Amino acid sequence: MNKSFTVFFCLLLLTTVALPHPAAGQPQDAQTGIGLVPPAQKIPLVIIYTLSTCPHCMEAKEFFTNNNIPFINREVDSDSQHMDELMQIYDKMNIPEQKRGVPLIIIGTDVKLQGFNKEKVQEALKKFMPK
């Protein structure tokens, strides 16, 4: 094979592999055939500190899952580092030890909700949704 053909073939192969391929059923650009990506929805980072056996924690996780809101679950009974983080957060919130519990839901950087109340979570999330 001559050198220019080899370079051309490698570039063709790289271009074919590197181009994004649309997922089945996704809209495509009419001219390029490349899949269109819908604009990203502004979703805040959600972290939930939970116990694996807590029914209110399970309810909170189901709420976020059923509403397609990604979240990070930090089980404090299975990871001592997560428990330490939770205690530090409660210390900063000045919550006395006898009033600390789970779930603790953190939305964005400012919103911290102790316990699970669907209405309060929905109200907190509204602050992050486009108008």
Side-chain angles (χ1 to χ4, degrees):
M1 264 193 239
N2 78 28
K3 189 174 181 179
S4 61
F5 178 76
T6 304
V7 171
F8 172 76
F9 182 74
C10 288
L11 287 174
L12 180 64
L13 182 62
L14 284 173
T15 304
T16 305
V17 173
L19 284 176
H21 298 283
Q26 291 294 319
Q28 295 181 16
D29 182 275
Q31 290 181 331
T32 65
I34 296 173
L36 299 175
V37 178
Q41 185 179 15
K42 185 179 178 186
I43 298 176
L45 176 64
V46 176
I47 300 173
I48 309 174
Y49 288 88
T50 64
L51 281 172
S52 60
T53 57
C54 167
H56 302 294
C57 301
M58 290 179 207
E59 187 180 0
K61 292 185 283 187
E62 286 176 9
F63 170 82
F64 287 108
T65 300
N66 292 340
N67 287 285
N68 297 315
I69 300 169
F71 64 93
I72 298 169
N73 181 38
R74 295 195 174 155
E75 286 189 355
V76 298
D77 55 343
S78 63
D79 189 321
S80 61
Q81 183 178 349
H82 292 161
M83 177 62 89
D84 292 342
E85 290 172 13
L86 178 62
M87 292 301 109
Q88 289 175 7
I89 292 167
Y90 276 134
D91 288 343
K92 289 178 185 175
M93 293 172 65
N94 295 317
I95 304 291
E97 285 187 29
Q98 64 271 21
K99 296 198 179 212
R100 296 177 181 191
V102 290
L104 178 68
I105 302 168
I106 301 174
I107 302 172
T109 57
D110 299 326
V111 180
K112 295 174 181 70
L113 302 171
Q114 187 176 1
F116 177 68
N117 179 304
K118 182 178 171 180
E119 289 76 27
K120 286 183 180 180
V121 170
Q122 288 173 326
E123 188 63 33
L125 288 170
K126 282 182 187 177
K127 297 175 186 177
F128 297 95
M129 297 302 158
K131 297 188 177 165

